[in-house]
Amino acid sequence: HVQLVEAGGGSVQTGGSLRLSCAASGYTYSSYCMGWFRQAPGKEREGVAVIDNDGSTTYADSVKGRFTISIGNAQNTLYLQMNSLKPEDTAMYYCAADSRLSGACDNGDFAYWGQRTQVTVS
């Protein structure tokens, strides 16, 4: 049973930084894709960044140069370093994971999702 648990959300002023983490358990894929998504009130959920087991990354244009996705050495923790935060980054943030063979890195259709963490930028 795969579980994803996010942490690190909170409130920060414009221009500040936060680091989100996502601890994965019950996850045995050797070839995997993990990602961060967000949903602001009244808006559709959008992809923020994805990373695969080879370290290849893809970012939304709105966060390029400000956010960095990474996986910890133990490969069971996903991170999102968010710098130069803007009010428009305010949203619920979700982590997601799946086998790379599912195509999730390309289509955003992940099988496993975390419970979300709130990020507020004012």
Side-chain angles (χ1 to χ4, degrees):
H1 177 63
V2 176
Q3 280 193 312
L4 304 174
V5 179
E6 296 104 334
S11 297
V12 65
Q13 291 187 334
T14 298
S17 299
L18 283 174
R19 188 173 81 154
L20 304 182
S21 64
C22 174
S25 61
Y27 194 79
T28 60
Y29 299 127
S30 59
S31 178
Y32 56 82
C33 179
M34 300 185 79
W36 289 98
F37 292 74
R38 67 186 181 187
Q39 187 168 21
K43 294 188 176 181
E44 296 286 322
R45 187 173 65 193
E46 64 172 349
V48 175
V50 295
I51 186 169
D52 66 25
N53 57 287
D54 288 335
S56 296
T57 58
T58 303
Y59 293 92
D61 288 342
S62 59
V63 306
K64 281 181 182 176
R66 300 188 298 122
F67 290 11
T68 302
I69 188 171
S70 63
I71 295 176
N73 289 336
Q75 298 190 336
N76 63 351
T77 304
L78 178 71
Y79 298 100
L80 184 68
Q81 178 66 44
M82 304 185 292
N83 298 328
S84 302
L85 283 161
K86 305 174 181 180
E88 51 264 44
D89 294 318
T90 295
M92 284 289 189
Y93 282 71
Y94 301 79
C95 67
D98 205 340
S99 165
R100 189 169 164 184
L101 297 177
S102 73
C105 266
D106 297 317
N107 60 29
D109 188 15
F110 284 81
Y112 304 103
W113 294 84
Q115 85 285 2
R116 69 189 180 181
T117 186
Q118 176 70 42
V119 171
T120 303
V121 185
S122 59

